[in-house]
Amino acid sequence: MSDMSFKQAKELVEKMEFSEIAIKKAVKNLETSANNFEKTLQAQEEIVSRIPRSDKKLSIMFFVVALNVGFLIGLLFGKFVL
């Protein structure tokens, strides 16, 4: 290593600086990706929490429609059969 010239040392330092810049950029991209992943997980949890409420509303709507259809059939039956 004592035979290393100034030019070789300068090239080595430049390579190390480029490596440092690349590592900083990679860390920044990783942090951005982690933040986006956290936002995605929060949105997914919100959607999962809404599913049971949607199912409950759909069940209630189905019951109301069935009740109305039954009422109409009863009216028609009462008017024409009785």
Side-chain angles (χ1 to χ4, degrees):
M1 292 289 279
S2 62
D3 294 337
M4 184 182 291
S5 68
F6 179 74
K7 184 177 179 182
Q8 290 173 333
K10 186 177 177 184
E11 288 175 0
L12 184 62
V13 168
E14 286 176 357
K15 287 181 184 178
M16 289 172 55
E17 287 174 352
F18 288 139
S19 297
E20 181 182 3
I21 291 170
I23 289 173
K24 285 182 180 179
K25 187 174 181 181
V27 167
K28 183 178 177 183
N29 288 341
L30 185 62
E31 289 174 352
T32 304
S33 297
N35 289 338
N36 289 338
F37 184 69
E38 288 294 325
K39 289 177 185 176
T40 304
L41 282 178
Q42 289 174 353
Q44 185 179 11
E45 288 175 1
E46 183 178 333
I47 290 170
V48 168
S49 69
R50 286 185 180 183
I51 289 174
R53 285 184 271 158
S54 299
D55 285 343
K56 184 177 179 182
K57 287 181 182 179
L58 190 61
S59 297
I60 291 172
M61 295 263 307
F62 179 74
F63 177 73
V64 169
V65 168
L67 188 66
N68 284 335
V69 169
F71 179 72
L72 291 175
I73 290 172
L75 281 177
L76 292 173
F77 182 77
K79 180 162 177 91
F80 294 112
V81 176
L82 296 178

